[in-house]
C-alpha cells in the first residue's frame, strides 16, 4: 500500500474537522443572535447601545 491512502485520509479528516468547526460556530452565532433578540424584545438593552439607537 502506498502513502497516498494516508495522505488522502489526513486531508479528509482535516476537511471534516474544519467543516464541523465552521458549522458549530455558525449554529452558535444563530443561537446567540436569537438570545439577543429575545432579550431586546423583553426590554433589556445593551449598555453600548445609545438611547436613540433603532436596533
Amino acid at each position: 500500500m502506498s502513502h497516498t491512502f494516508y495522505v488522502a485520509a489526513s486531508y479528509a479528516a482535516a476537511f471534516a474537522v474544519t467543516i464541523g468547526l465552521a458549522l458549530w460556530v455558525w449554529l452558535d452565532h444563530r443561537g446567540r443572535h436569537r438570545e439577543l433578540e429575545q432579550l431586546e424584545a423583553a426590554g433589556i438593552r445593551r449598555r453600548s447601545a445609545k438611547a436613540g439607537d433603532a436596533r
Side-chain angles (χ1 to χ4, degrees):
M1 205 188 309
S2 69
H3 295 293
T4 306
F5 171 75
Y6 299 107
V7 171
S10 297
Y11 274 104
F15 180 74
V17 168
T18 303
I19 294 300
L21 286 173
L23 181 62
W24 179 25
V25 168
W26 179 67
L27 290 172
D28 187 57
H29 168 73
R30 288 182 57 200
R32 299 304 137 243
H33 189 71
R34 191 176 306 117
E35 288 176 2
L36 280 174
E37 287 177 346
Q38 290 173 352
L39 288 172
E40 288 182 355
I44 300 172
R45 300 284 183 231
R46 290 176 284 164
R47 288 184 295 183
S48 61
K50 294 182 176 51
D53 196 4
R55 271 188 69 54

CSV table of all heavy atoms in Angstrom, one decimal:
chain,number,residue,atom,x,y,z
A,1,MET,N,0.8,-1.2,0.0
A,1,MET,CA,0.0,0.0,0.0
A,1,MET,C,0.9,1.2,0.0
A,1,MET,O,1.9,1.3,0.7
A,1,MET,CB,-0.9,0.0,1.2
A,1,MET,CG,-2.1,0.8,1.0
A,1,MET,SD,-3.3,1.1,2.3
A,1,MET,CE,-3.7,-0.3,3.2
A,2,SER,N,0.5,2.3,-0.7
A,2,SER,CA,1.3,3.5,-0.8
A,2,SER,C,0.8,4.5,0.3
A,2,SER,O,-0.1,4.3,1.0
A,2,SER,CB,1.2,4.1,-2.2
A,2,SER,OG,-0.2,4.6,-2.4
A,3,HIS,N,1.6,5.5,0.3
A,3,HIS,CA,1.2,6.6,1.3
A,3,HIS,C,0.1,7.4,0.8
A,3,HIS,O,-0.4,8.2,1.6
A,3,HIS,CB,2.5,7.5,1.5
A,3,HIS,CG,3.6,6.8,2.1
A,3,HIS,ND1,3.6,6.3,3.4
A,3,HIS,CD2,4.8,6.4,1.7
A,3,HIS,CE1,4.7,5.7,3.7
A,3,HIS,NE2,5.5,5.8,2.7
A,4,THR,N,-0.4,7.2,-0.4
A,4,THR,CA,-1.5,8.1,-0.9
A,4,THR,C,-2.7,7.9,0.0
A,4,THR,O,-3.4,8.9,0.2
A,4,THR,CB,-1.8,7.6,-2.3
A,4,THR,OG1,-0.6,7.7,-3.1
A,4,THR,CG2,-2.8,8.5,-2.9
A,5,PHE,N,-3.0,6.7,0.4
A,5,PHE,CA,-4.2,6.5,1.3
A,5,PHE,C,-4.1,7.3,2.5
A,5,PHE,O,-5.1,7.9,2.9
A,5,PHE,CB,-4.4,5.0,1.6
A,5,PHE,CG,-5.4,4.7,2.6
A,5,PHE,CD1,-6.8,4.8,2.3
A,5,PHE,CD2,-5.1,4.5,4.0
A,5,PHE,CE1,-7.8,4.6,3.2
A,5,PHE,CE2,-6.1,4.3,4.9
A,5,PHE,CZ,-7.4,4.3,4.5
A,6,TYR,N,-3.0,7.3,3.2
A,6,TYR,CA,-2.8,8.0,4.4
A,6,TYR,C,-2.9,9.6,4.2
A,6,TYR,O,-3.5,10.3,5.0
A,6,TYR,CB,-1.5,7.7,5.1
A,6,TYR,CG,-1.4,6.2,5.4
A,6,TYR,CD1,-0.6,5.3,4.7
A,6,TYR,CD2,-2.2,5.7,6.5
A,6,TYR,CE1,-0.6,4.0,5.0
A,6,TYR,CE2,-2.2,4.3,6.8
A,6,TYR,CZ,-1.4,3.5,6.1
A,6,TYR,OH,-1.4,2.1,6.4
A,7,VAL,N,-2.3,10.0,3.1
A,7,VAL,CA,-2.4,11.4,2.8
A,7,VAL,C,-3.8,11.8,2.6
A,7,VAL,O,-4.3,12.9,3.1
A,7,VAL,CB,-1.4,11.8,1.6
A,7,VAL,CG1,-1.7,13.2,1.2
A,7,VAL,CG2,0.0,11.5,2.0
A,8,ALA,N,-4.5,11.1,1.8
A,8,ALA,CA,-5.9,11.4,1.4
A,8,ALA,C,-6.8,11.3,2.7
A,8,ALA,O,-7.6,12.2,2.9
A,8,ALA,CB,-6.4,10.4,0.4
A,9,ALA,N,-6.5,10.3,3.6
A,9,ALA,CA,-7.3,10.2,4.8
A,9,ALA,C,-7.0,11.4,5.7
A,9,ALA,O,-7.9,11.9,6.4
A,9,ALA,CB,-6.9,8.9,5.5
A,10,SER,N,-5.8,11.9,5.8
A,10,SER,CA,-5.4,13.0,6.6
A,10,SER,C,-6.1,14.3,6.1
A,10,SER,O,-6.7,15.1,6.8
A,10,SER,CB,-3.9,13.3,6.6
A,10,SER,OG,-3.3,12.2,7.1
A,11,TYR,N,-6.1,14.5,4.7
A,11,TYR,CA,-6.8,15.6,4.2
A,11,TYR,C,-8.3,15.5,4.4
A,11,TYR,O,-9.0,16.5,4.8
A,11,TYR,CB,-6.6,15.7,2.7
A,11,TYR,CG,-5.3,16.5,2.4
A,11,TYR,CD1,-4.1,15.8,1.9
A,11,TYR,CD2,-5.3,17.9,2.5
A,11,TYR,CE1,-3.0,16.5,1.7
A,11,TYR,CE2,-4.1,18.6,2.2
A,11,TYR,CZ,-3.0,17.9,1.8
A,11,TYR,OH,-1.8,18.6,1.5
A,12,ALA,N,-8.9,14.3,4.3
A,12,ALA,CA,-10.3,14.2,4.6
A,12,ALA,C,-10.7,14.5,6.0
A,12,ALA,O,-11.7,15.1,6.3
A,12,ALA,CB,-10.8,12.8,4.2
A,13,ALA,N,-9.8,14.0,6.9
A,13,ALA,CA,-10.1,14.3,8.4
A,13,ALA,C,-10.0,15.8,8.7
A,13,ALA,O,-10.8,16.3,9.4
A,13,ALA,CB,-9.1,13.5,9.2
A,14,ALA,N,-8.9,16.4,8.1
A,14,ALA,CA,-8.8,17.9,8.3
A,14,ALA,C,-10.0,18.6,7.7
A,14,ALA,O,-10.5,19.6,8.4
A,14,ALA,CB,-7.5,18.3,7.7
A,15,PHE,N,-10.4,18.2,6.6
A,15,PHE,CA,-11.6,18.9,6.0
A,15,PHE,C,-12.8,18.7,6.8
A,15,PHE,O,-13.6,19.6,7.0
A,15,PHE,CB,-11.8,18.3,4.6
A,15,PHE,CG,-13.0,18.9,3.8
A,15,PHE,CD1,-12.9,20.2,3.3
A,15,PHE,CD2,-14.1,18.2,3.7
A,15,PHE,CE1,-14.0,20.7,2.6
A,15,PHE,CE2,-15.2,18.7,3.0
A,15,PHE,CZ,-15.1,20.0,2.5
A,16,ALA,N,-13.1,17.5,7.3
A,16,ALA,CA,-14.2,17.2,8.2
A,16,ALA,C,-14.2,18.0,9.5
A,16,ALA,O,-15.2,18.5,9.9
A,16,ALA,CB,-14.3,15.7,8.5
A,17,VAL,N,-13.0,18.1,10.1
A,17,VAL,CA,-12.9,18.9,11.3
A,17,VAL,C,-13.1,20.4,11.0
A,17,VAL,O,-13.9,21.0,11.8
A,17,VAL,CB,-11.5,18.7,12.0
A,17,VAL,CG1,-11.2,19.7,13.0
A,17,VAL,CG2,-11.4,17.3,12.5
A,18,THR,N,-12.6,20.9,9.9
A,18,THR,CA,-12.8,22.3,9.6
A,18,THR,C,-14.3,22.6,9.3
A,18,THR,O,-14.8,23.6,9.8
A,18,THR,CB,-11.9,22.6,8.3
A,18,THR,OG1,-10.6,22.3,8.6
A,18,THR,CG2,-12.1,24.1,8.0
A,19,ILE,N,-14.9,21.7,8.6
A,19,ILE,CA,-16.3,21.9,8.3
A,19,ILE,C,-17.2,21.8,9.6
A,19,ILE,O,-18.1,22.6,9.8
A,19,ILE,CB,-16.8,20.9,7.2
A,19,ILE,CG1,-16.2,21.2,5.9
A,19,ILE,CG2,-18.4,20.9,7.1
A,19,ILE,CD1,-16.4,22.6,5.3
A,20,GLY,N,-16.8,20.9,10.4
A,20,GLY,CA,-17.5,20.7,11.7
A,20,GLY,C,-17.4,21.9,12.6
A,20,GLY,O,-18.4,22.4,13.2
A,21,LEU,N,-16.2,22.5,12.7
A,21,LEU,CA,-16.0,23.7,13.5
A,21,LEU,C,-16.7,24.9,12.9
A,21,LEU,O,-17.3,25.7,13.6
A,21,LEU,CB,-14.5,24.0,13.6
A,21,LEU,CG,-13.7,23.1,14.5
A,21,LEU,CD1,-12.2,23.4,14.4
A,21,LEU,CD2,-14.1,23.3,15.9
A,22,ALA,N,-16.7,25.0,11.5
A,22,ALA,CA,-17.4,26.1,10.9
A,22,ALA,C,-18.9,26.0,11.2
A,22,ALA,O,-19.6,27.0,11.4
A,22,ALA,CB,-17.1,26.2,9.4
A,23,LEU,N,-19.4,24.8,11.1
A,23,LEU,CA,-20.9,24.6,11.3
A,23,LEU,C,-21.2,24.9,12.8
A,23,LEU,O,-22.2,25.5,13.1
A,23,LEU,CB,-21.2,23.1,11.0
A,23,LEU,CG,-22.7,22.7,11.2
A,23,LEU,CD1,-23.6,23.6,10.3
A,23,LEU,CD2,-22.9,21.3,10.9
A,24,TRP,N,-20.3,24.5,13.7
A,24,TRP,CA,-20.6,24.8,15.1
A,24,TRP,C,-20.6,26.3,15.4
A,24,TRP,O,-21.5,26.8,16.1
A,24,TRP,CB,-19.5,24.1,15.9
A,24,TRP,CG,-19.5,24.3,17.4
A,24,TRP,CD1,-20.6,24.6,18.2
A,24,TRP,CD2,-18.4,24.2,18.3
A,24,TRP,NE1,-20.3,24.7,19.5
A,24,TRP,CE2,-18.9,24.5,19.6
A,24,TRP,CE3,-17.1,24.0,18.1
A,24,TRP,CZ2,-18.1,24.5,20.7
A,24,TRP,CZ3,-16.3,24.0,19.3
A,24,TRP,CH2,-16.8,24.2,20.5
A,25,VAL,N,-19.6,27.0,14.8
A,25,VAL,CA,-19.6,28.5,15.0
A,25,VAL,C,-20.8,29.1,14.4
A,25,VAL,O,-21.4,30.0,15.0
A,25,VAL,CB,-18.3,29.0,14.4
A,25,VAL,CG1,-18.4,30.6,14.3
A,25,VAL,CG2,-17.1,28.6,15.2
A,26,TRP,N,-21.2,28.7,13.2
A,26,TRP,CA,-22.4,29.2,12.6
A,26,TRP,C,-23.7,29.0,13.4
A,26,TRP,O,-24.5,29.9,13.6
A,26,TRP,CB,-22.6,28.7,11.2
A,26,TRP,CG,-23.8,29.2,10.5
A,26,TRP,CD1,-24.0,30.4,10.0
A,26,TRP,CD2,-24.9,28.4,10.1
A,26,TRP,NE1,-25.2,30.5,9.4
A,26,TRP,CE2,-25.8,29.3,9.4
A,26,TRP,CE3,-25.3,27.1,10.3
A,26,TRP,CZ2,-27.0,28.9,8.9
A,26,TRP,CZ3,-26.5,26.7,9.8
A,26,TRP,CH2,-27.4,27.6,9.1
A,27,LEU,N,-23.9,27.8,13.9
A,27,LEU,CA,-25.0,27.5,14.8
A,27,LEU,C,-25.0,28.2,16.1
A,27,LEU,O,-26.0,28.7,16.6
A,27,LEU,CB,-25.1,26.0,15.0
A,27,LEU,CG,-25.5,25.1,13.8
A,27,LEU,CD1,-25.3,23.6,14.1
A,27,LEU,CD2,-26.9,25.4,13.3
A,28,ASP,N,-23.8,28.4,16.7
A,28,ASP,CA,-23.7,29.1,17.9
A,28,ASP,C,-24.0,30.6,17.7
A,28,ASP,O,-24.7,31.2,18.5
A,28,ASP,CB,-22.3,29.0,18.5
A,28,ASP,CG,-22.2,29.6,19.9
A,28,ASP,OD1,-22.9,29.2,20.8
A,28,ASP,OD2,-21.3,30.5,20.0
A,29,HIS,N,-23.6,31.1,16.6
A,29,HIS,CA,-23.9,32.5,16.2
A,29,HIS,C,-25.4,32.7,16.1
A,29,HIS,O,-25.9,33.7,16.6
A,29,HIS,CB,-23.2,32.9,14.9
A,29,HIS,CG,-23.7,34.2,14.3
A,29,HIS,ND1,-23.3,35.4,14.9
A,29,HIS,CD2,-24.5,34.5,13.3
A,29,HIS,CE1,-23.9,36.4,14.2
A,29,HIS,NE2,-24.6,35.8,13.2
A,30,ARG,N,-26.1,31.8,15.4
A,30,ARG,CA,-27.5,31.9,15.3
A,30,ARG,C,-28.2,31.9,16.7
A,30,ARG,O,-29.1,32.6,16.9
A,30,ARG,CB,-28.0,30.8,14.4
A,30,ARG,CG,-27.7,31.0,13.0
A,30,ARG,CD,-28.3,29.9,12.1
A,30,ARG,NE,-29.7,29.8,12.3
A,30,ARG,CZ,-30.5,28.7,12.0
A,30,ARG,NH1,-29.9,27.6,11.6
A,30,ARG,NH2,-31.8,28.7,12.2
A,31,GLY,N,-27.7,31.0,17.6
A,31,GLY,CA,-28.3,30.9,18.9
A,31,GLY,C,-28.1,32.2,19.7
A,31,GLY,O,-29.0,32.6,20.4
A,32,ARG,N,-26.9,32.7,19.7
A,32,ARG,CA,-26.6,34.0,20.4
A,32,ARG,C,-27.4,35.1,19.9
A,32,ARG,O,-27.9,35.9,20.6
A,32,ARG,CB,-25.1,34.3,20.4
A,32,ARG,CG,-24.2,33.4,20.9
A,32,ARG,CD,-24.4,33.0,22.4
A,32,ARG,NE,-24.2,31.6,22.5
A,32,ARG,CZ,-25.2,30.7,22.9
A,32,ARG,NH1,-26.4,31.1,23.2
A,32,ARG,NH2,-25.0,29.4,22.9
A,33,HIS,N,-27.6,35.2,18.5
A,33,HIS,CA,-28.3,36.2,17.9
A,33,HIS,C,-29.8,36.1,18.4
A,33,HIS,O,-30.5,37.1,18.7
A,33,HIS,CB,-28.2,36.1,16.4
A,33,HIS,CG,-28.8,37.3,15.7
A,33,HIS,ND1,-28.3,38.5,15.7
A,33,HIS,CD2,-29.9,37.4,14.9
A,33,HIS,CE1,-29.0,39.4,15.0
A,33,HIS,NE2,-30.0,38.7,14.5
A,34,ARG,N,-30.3,34.9,18.4
A,34,ARG,CA,-31.7,34.7,18.8
A,34,ARG,C,-31.9,35.1,20.3
A,34,ARG,O,-32.9,35.7,20.6
A,34,ARG,CB,-32.1,33.2,18.6
A,34,ARG,CG,-33.5,32.9,18.8
A,34,ARG,CD,-33.9,31.4,18.5
A,34,ARG,NE,-33.4,31.0,17.2
A,34,ARG,CZ,-32.5,30.0,17.1
A,34,ARG,NH1,-31.9,29.4,18.1
A,34,ARG,NH2,-32.1,29.7,15.8
A,35,GLU,N,-30.9,34.8,21.1
A,35,GLU,CA,-31.0,35.2,22.5
A,35,GLU,C,-31.0,36.7,22.7
A,35,GLU,O,-31.7,37.2,23.5
A,35,GLU,CB,-29.8,34.5,23.3
A,35,GLU,CG,-29.9,33.1,23.5
A,35,GLU,CD,-28.7,32.5,24.2
A,35,GLU,OE1,-27.8,33.2,24.6
A,35,GLU,OE2,-28.7,31.3,24.4
A,36,LEU,N,-30.1,37.3,21.9
A,36,LEU,CA,-30.1,38.8,22.0
A,36,LEU,C,-31.4,39.4,21.6
A,36,LEU,O,-31.9,40.4,22.2
A,36,LEU,CB,-29.0,39.4,21.1
A,36,LEU,CG,-27.6,39.3,21.7
A,36,LEU,CD1,-26.6,39.7,20.6
A,36,LEU,CD2,-27.5,40.2,22.9
A,37,GLU,N,-32.0,38.8,20.5
A,37,GLU,CA,-33.3,39.4,20.1
A,37,GLU,C,-34.4,39.2,21.1
A,37,GLU,O,-35.2,40.1,21.4
A,37,GLU,CB,-33.8,38.7,18.8
A,37,GLU,CG,-33.0,39.1,17.6
A,37,GLU,CD,-33.4,38.3,16.3
A,37,GLU,OE1,-34.1,37.3,16.4
A,37,GLU,OE2,-33.0,38.8,15.2
A,38,GLN,N,-34.4,38.0,21.8
A,38,GLN,CA,-35.3,37.8,22.9
A,38,GLN,C,-35.1,38.8,24.1
A,38,GLN,O,-36.1,39.3,24.6
A,38,GLN,CB,-35.2,36.3,23.4
A,38,GLN,CG,-35.7,35.3,22.4
A,38,GLN,CD,-35.4,33.9,22.9
A,38,GLN,OE1,-34.7,33.7,23.9
A,38,GLN,NE2,-36.0,32.9,22.1
A,39,LEU,N,-33.9,39.0,24.4
A,39,LEU,CA,-33.6,40.0,25.5
A,39,LEU,C,-34.0,41.4,25.1
A,39,LEU,O,-34.6,42.1,25.9
A,39,LEU,CB,-32.1,39.9,25.8
A,39,LEU,CG,-31.6,38.7,26.6
A,39,LEU,CD1,-30.1,38.7,26.7
A,39,LEU,CD2,-32.2,38.6,27.9
A,40,GLU,N,-33.7,41.8,23.9
A,40,GLU,CA,-34.1,43.1,23.5
A,40,GLU,C,-35.7,43.2,23.4
A,40,GLU,O,-36.2,44.3,23.7
A,40,GLU,CB,-33.5,43.5,22.1
A,40,GLU,CG,-32.0,43.7,22.3
A,40,GLU,CD,-31.3,44.1,21.0
A,40,GLU,OE1,-32.0,44.1,19.9
A,40,GLU,OE2,-30.1,44.4,21.0
A,41,ALA,N,-36.3,42.1,23.0
A,41,ALA,CA,-37.8,42.2,23.0
A,41,ALA,C,-38.4,42.3,24.4
A,41,ALA,O,-39.4,42.9,24.6
A,41,ALA,CB,-38.3,40.9,22.3
A,42,ALA,N,-37.6,41.8,25.3
A,42,ALA,CA,-38.1,41.9,26.7
A,42,ALA,C,-37.7,43.2,27.4
A,42,ALA,O,-38.1,43.5,28.5
A,42,ALA,CB,-37.4,40.8,27.6
A,43,GLY,N,-37.1,44.1,26.6
A,43,GLY,CA,-36.8,45.4,27.1
A,43,GLY,C,-35.4,45.6,27.7
A,43,GLY,O,-35.0,46.6,28.2
A,44,ILE,N,-34.6,44.5,27.6
A,44,ILE,CA,-33.2,44.6,28.1
A,44,ILE,C,-32.3,45.1,27.0
A,44,ILE,O,-32.3,44.5,25.9
A,44,ILE,CB,-32.8,43.2,28.6
A,44,ILE,CG1,-33.7,42.8,29.8
A,44,ILE,CG2,-31.3,43.2,29.1
A,44,ILE,CD1,-33.5,41.3,30.2
A,45,ARG,N,-31.6,46.1,27.2
A,45,ARG,CA,-30.8,46.7,26.2
A,45,ARG,C,-29.3,46.6,26.5
A,45,ARG,O,-29.0,46.4,27.7
A,45,ARG,CB,-31.1,48.2,26.0
A,45,ARG,CG,-32.5,48.5,25.7
A,45,ARG,CD,-32.7,48.2,24.2
A,45,ARG,NE,-34.1,48.6,23.8
A,45,ARG,CZ,-34.9,47.8,23.2
A,45,ARG,NH1,-34.5,46.6,22.8
A,45,ARG,NH2,-36.1,48.2,22.9
A,46,ARG,N,-28.5,46.6,25.5
A,46,ARG,CA,-27.1,46.6,25.7
A,46,ARG,C,-26.6,47.9,26.2
A,46,ARG,O,-27.1,49.0,25.8
A,46,ARG,CB,-26.3,46.2,24.4
A,46,ARG,CG,-26.6,44.8,24.1
A,46,ARG,CD,-26.0,44.5,22.8
A,46,ARG,NE,-26.8,45.1,21.7
A,46,ARG,CZ,-26.4,45.3,20.5
A,46,ARG,NH1,-25.2,45.0,20.1
A,46,ARG,NH2,-27.2,45.8,19.6
A,47,ARG,N,-25.6,47.9,27.1
A,47,ARG,CA,-25.0,49.2,27.6
A,47,ARG,C,-24.4,50.0,26.5
A,47,ARG,O,-24.4,51.2,26.5
A,47,ARG,CB,-24.0,48.9,28.7
A,47,ARG,CG,-24.6,48.5,30.0
A,47,ARG,CD,-23.6,48.3,31.1
A,47,ARG,NE,-22.7,47.2,30.7
A,47,ARG,CZ,-21.7,46.8,31.4
A,47,ARG,NH1,-21.5,47.3,32.6
A,47,ARG,NH2,-20.9,45.8,31.0
A,48,SER,N,-23.8,49.3,25.5
A,48,SER,CA,-23.2,50.0,24.4
A,48,SER,C,-24.1,50.7,23.4
A,48,SER,O,-23.7,51.5,22.6
A,48,SER,CB,-22.2,49.1,23.6
A,48,SER,OG,-23.0,48.0,23.1
A,49,ALA,N,-25.4,50.3,23.5
A,49,ALA,CA,-26.4,50.9,22.6
A,49,ALA,C,-26.8,52.3,23.1
A,49,ALA,O,-27.0,52.5,24.3
A,49,ALA,CB,-27.7,50.0,22.5
A,50,LYS,N,-26.9,53.2,22.2
A,50,LYS,CA,-27.3,54.6,22.5
A,50,LYS,C,-28.8,54.6,22.8
A,50,LYS,O,-29.5,53.8,22.3
A,50,LYS,CB,-26.9,55.5,21.4
A,50,LYS,CG,-25.4,55.6,21.2
A,50,LYS,CD,-25.0,56.6,20.1
A,50,LYS,CE,-23.6,56.9,20.0
A,50,LYS,NZ,-22.7,55.7,19.9
A,51,ALA,N,-29.2,55.6,23.4
A,51,ALA,CA,-30.6,55.8,23.8
A,51,ALA,C,-31.5,55.8,22.5
A,51,ALA,O,-32.6,55.3,22.5
A,51,ALA,CB,-30.9,57.0,24.6
A,52,GLY,N,-31.1,56.5,21.5
A,52,GLY,CA,-31.9,56.6,20.3
A,52,GLY,C,-31.6,55.6,19.2
A,52,GLY,O,-32.0,55.7,18.1
A,53,ASP,N,-30.8,54.6,19.6
A,53,ASP,CA,-30.4,53.5,18.6
A,53,ASP,C,-31.7,52.7,18.2
A,53,ASP,O,-32.4,52.2,19.1
A,53,ASP,CB,-29.4,52.6,19.2
A,53,ASP,CG,-28.7,51.7,18.2
A,53,ASP,OD1,-28.9,51.9,17.0
A,53,ASP,OD2,-27.8,50.9,18.6
A,54,ALA,N,-31.9,52.5,16.9
A,54,ALA,CA,-33.1,51.9,16.4
A,54,ALA,C,-32.9,50.4,16.3
A,54,ALA,O,-33.6,49.7,15.6
A,54,ALA,CB,-33.5,52.5,15.1
A,55,ARG,N,-31.9,49.8,16.9
A,55,ARG,CA,-31.7,48.3,16.7
A,55,ARG,C,-32.8,47.6,17.4
A,55,ARG,O,-33.4,46.8,17.5
A,55,ARG,CB,-30.3,47.9,17.4
A,55,ARG,CG,-29.2,48.0,16.3
A,55,ARG,CD,-27.9,47.4,16.7
A,55,ARG,NE,-27.5,46.1,17.0
A,55,ARG,CZ,-27.7,45.1,16.2
A,55,ARG,NH1,-28.3,45.1,15.1
A,55,ARG,NH2,-27.1,43.9,16.5
